[in-house]
Amino acid sequence: MKRVITHIIEQDERVDRSRGVTVHLGELAASSLNFYVRVWVRNGEYWNTYYDLLENIKEAMDANHIDLPYPQMDSRAQNAPSQSQPHLQIVD
């Protein structure tokens, strides 16, 4: 994953590599690996570079079969009322 992110950054000519590039695994979260990515660009190029890098990283992850985990929640109802009992009473 880190190599994919670094490769995408290296392809972007707006990035000032002379000032350093940061790509670090910053957190092992419950359902994700959080990477900290920092690059230097000119002020006027910041937002376009930011969004382009996000899109390009996502596309490269897809191309390399790297799946993003999405949080899931399983729920169970115990001692649920029978179907014949109303669940909701509407009062005017």
Side-chain angles (χ1 to χ4, degrees), residues 53-71:
L53 285 175
L54 282 179
E55 290 177 18
N56 292 337
I57 288 168
K58 173 63 170 104
E59 289 172 2
M61 289 170 54
D62 291 346
N64 286 279
H65 309 289
I66 300 171
D67 295 324
L68 294 174
Y70 292 99

Side-chain angles (χ1 to χ4, degrees), residues 74-81 83 87:
D74 294 330
S75 62
R76 274 188 307 180
Q78 295 180 339
N79 301 324
Q83 294 294 336
H87 294 274

Side-chain angles (χ1 to χ4, degrees), residues 8-92:
I8 294 303
I9 292 169
E10 289 171 353
Q11 301 296 313
D12 197 313
E13 294 178 1
R14 296 169 294 188
V15 174
D16 182 356
R17 286 166 211 58
S18 70
R19 297 182 73 183
V21 171
T22 299
V23 180
H24 292 292
L25 176 59
E27 185 177 358
L28 298 173
S31 62
S32 65
L33 300 175
N34 297 334
F35 282 84
Y36 298 142
V37 178
R38 293 184 179 91
V39 299
W40 289 91
V41 297
R42 293 182 3 195
N43 287 344
E45 299 277 341
Y46 178 81
W47 287 111
N48 287 334
T49 305
Y50 176 83
Y51 291 119
D52 289 346
L53 285 175
L54 282 179
E55 290 177 18
N56 292 337
I57 288 168
K58 173 63 170 104
E59 289 172 2
M61 289 170 54
D62 291 346
N64 286 279
H65 309 289
I66 300 171
D67 295 324
L68 294 174
Y70 292 99
Q72 296 180 353
M73 179 185 296
D74 294 330
S75 62
R76 274 188 307 180
Q78 295 180 339
N79 301 324
S82 69
Q83 294 294 336
S84 63
Q85 295 177 347
H87 294 274
L88 177 64
Q89 182 178 6
I90 301 174
V91 178
D92 290 325

Side-chain angles (χ1 to χ4, degrees), residues 1-8 10 23:
M1 176 88 106
K2 187 173 178 176
R3 282 186 297 196
V4 171
I5 295 170
T6 302
H7 177 74
I8 294 303
E10 289 171 353
V23 180

